[in-house]
Amino acid sequence: MEFSREILFFFSALGAFNGLVIGLYFLFFAKPKHRSNYFLGVLLLALSIRIGKSVFLYFSDHMWGGFLQFGMSACLFIGPSLYFYLKSIMQPDKTLNWKIHYLPLLIIISTIDVLFPWHDDLWYYLFHTIYFVWLIYLIFSGFLLRETLKNLFKRNVRLSTMEVWIVSIYIGNSLIWIAYNTVNYTSYIVGALSFTFIFYLLILLLFFTRKKDPGFLNKHVKYGNKKIDEAEAQQLQRRLNELMENERLFKDANLKMSEVAKKLNILPHYLSQFINDNLNKNFTIFINEYRITEAKKLIKSDSHLKLESIGYECGFNSKSTFYTAFKKIAGTTPAKFKESHES
């Protein structure tokens, strides 16, 4: 192998090897054991196996068909892993039905691998199918990120650390897909080199971000009592108050944090961090404070309404939760509060 080819091999294989190591780390050793780490681990492993296949195919004259087949099979799981990694971060309170995505793909590709060992003509068509599946999940992922991607181009909106990270992951994945689907105009090894380049850019981003904000990758699990910058917190507080007062979301008994975050065009973990660390309360108490404030107004203004009806009107789904929240926040019962304002 010529020296120039050795250098090319080194740089193209470097990303695949390190991606494999870090993928295994996130999959088996990263703490805390959060579902997002598993999806990130699978994503890096699938990409690394796919890239490794490209590297050895490009530099080797004789390649075992089973290895090529394994590399392309792994490629099938890149898209789903990206999608569920983003979803596990952006919608932490939602159930992820990942099995109905992974299992059919695993059964299909395993069946093909057993029944149709490596055959150039057959796998030529499977290549396009696998890349199409990857593209579909890229589109789904882009839809998940749509609000964050819009904010990327707004001058008056500053992305949070986590938003910068997940946008970088998404764009990097998209660029690798583009590199592999334009090899007819470039070179087959461009995909591997692109992965190495993007991988180390992400490592640099992770390094400098962790220096400023240690543990940011785990903030959707545990924030370590690190508050959002005061200026950002004040702006978010104002937007949140305006949203609650104008749209009165607290009247929805089934209101979820992800719905409020969506209205604010921010990630749920960012809103959770603000409420927990800057306001020193949880989401339930935060919403109940608005509900109790509204209940007090109704009790004062309309003595004909039953207390139970007022509770339902303000967003509580039962009489007991209304009475418990009222006593905890107002320091008295709804009945005593009503008596004290009757004259």
Side-chain angles (χ1 to χ4, degrees):
M1 187 182 292
E2 299 177 359
F3 180 72
S4 59
R5 284 176 61 84
E6 290 177 350
I7 294 295
L8 188 62
F9 174 80
F10 173 77
F11 281 108
S12 56
L14 190 62
F17 174 75
N18 286 312
L20 193 67
V21 172
I22 295 179
L24 290 171
Y25 166 77
F26 276 109
L27 199 57
F28 297 107
F29 305 106
K31 293 181 180 181
K33 295 290 185 180
H34 190 259
R35 58 185 182 176
S36 63
N37 287 334
Y38 296 124
F39 291 120
L40 181 57
V42 175
L43 172 61
L44 288 172
L45 285 177
L47 275 168
S48 299
I49 293 170
R50 173 63 185 88
I51 299 301
K53 171 258 179 188
S54 298
V55 173
F56 287 104
L57 179 62
Y58 185 81
F59 290 99
S60 175
D61 296 329
H62 303 285
M63 178 60 59
W64 176 49
F67 181 75
L68 300 176
Q69 194 168 315
F70 180 62
M72 286 309 303
S73 299
C75 187
L76 191 60
F77 299 95
I78 296 174
S81 300
L82 171 68
Y83 174 74
F84 283 106
Y85 174 63
L86 297 177
K87 197 175 180 69
S88 64
I89 291 176
M90 299 182 68
Q91 299 175 352
D93 57 341
K94 286 194 174 182
T95 301
L96 300 181
N97 297 317
W98 60 271
K99 291 182 181 179
I100 65 174
H101 291 254
Y102 279 88
L103 290 180
L105 293 177
L106 181 62
I107 292 171
I108 291 170
I109 199 65
S110 299
T111 303
I112 292 174
D113 286 342
V114 172
L115 297 181
F116 305 99
W118 184 261
H119 189 282
D120 289 346
D121 292 337
L122 172 64
W123 278 86
Y124 173 80
Y125 296 103
L126 289 176
F127 286 163
H128 295 287
T129 302
I130 290 171
Y131 284 126
F132 180 72
V133 171
W134 187 355
L135 175 61
I136 292 298
Y137 280 100
L138 276 174
I139 294 172
F140 287 163
S141 300
F143 184 76
L144 269 180
L145 280 172
R146 63 191 182 282
E147 297 299 336
T148 306
L149 292 172
K150 288 178 184 177
N151 291 338
L152 188 63
F153 300 99
K154 293 180 181 179
R155 292 183 179 180
N156 60 334
V157 178
R158 180 181 174 184
L159 296 185
S160 67
T161 304
M162 181 58 77
E163 287 174 319
V164 172
W165 171 255
I166 60 176
V167 166
S168 300
I169 292 285
Y170 176 73
I171 292 176
N173 200 284
S174 301
L175 290 175
I176 295 170
W177 184 90
I178 292 171
Y180 270 115
N181 283 273
T182 56
V183 292
N184 291 333
Y185 310 101
T186 54
S187 171
Y188 186 71
I189 200 61
V190 167
L193 291 172
S194 299
F195 176 71
T196 299
F197 178 71
I198 292 167
F199 179 78
Y200 281 101
L201 280 180
L202 290 173
I203 291 297
L204 285 173
L205 173 63
L206 180 61
F207 174 76
F208 287 112
T209 301
R210 287 176 71 97
K211 285 186 69 176
K212 294 181 180 179
D213 190 6
F216 85 97
L217 280 176
N218 297 320
K219 278 188 174 179
H220 49 283
V221 185
K222 185 177 180 180
Y223 303 116
N225 297 319
K226 184 175 178 63
K227 295 183 179 180
I228 294 172
D229 176 75
E230 188 63 30
E232 290 183 38
Q234 289 179 0
Q235 182 185 31
L236 182 54
Q237 176 77 74
R238 177 181 55 78
R239 292 173 60 202
L240 188 55
N241 288 340
E242 290 176 355
L243 178 66
M244 287 296 165
E245 291 170 5
N246 295 335
E247 299 195 24
R248 305 174 74 77
L249 300 179
F250 57 85
K251 288 197 170 187
D252 179 1
N254 298 312
L255 182 66
K256 294 181 179 179
M257 185 184 299
S258 58
E259 296 170 10
V260 179
K262 184 177 180 180
K263 293 276 186 179
L264 294 168
N265 290 332
I266 61 175
L267 294 178
H269 85 89
Y270 188 68
L271 177 59
S272 179
Q273 181 185 0
F274 169 73
I275 294 174
N276 280 271
D277 296 335
N278 291 76
L279 301 184
N280 295 313
K281 60 189 71 172
N282 60 39
F283 180 71
T284 301
I285 293 176
F286 174 76
I287 295 300
N288 282 345
E289 287 178 345
Y290 278 96
R291 291 169 175 163
I292 297 306
T293 299
E294 181 68 13
K296 288 179 179 180
K297 291 178 181 178
L298 291 176
I299 291 173
K300 291 178 182 179
S301 63
D302 194 339
S303 60
H304 300 292
L305 275 175
K306 291 183 178 180
L307 293 177
E308 185 176 350
S309 299
I310 289 176
Y312 287 120
E313 175 66 21
C314 294
F316 292 98
N317 54 17
S318 72
K319 179 179 177 180
S320 61
T321 55
F322 171 50
Y323 275 61
T324 301
F326 199 102
K327 180 68 181 296
K328 183 175 182 179
I329 294 171
T332 185
T333 64
K336 289 182 179 179
F337 181 83
K338 184 176 180 179
E339 288 176 6
S340 65
H341 288 82
E342 286 179 344
S343 58

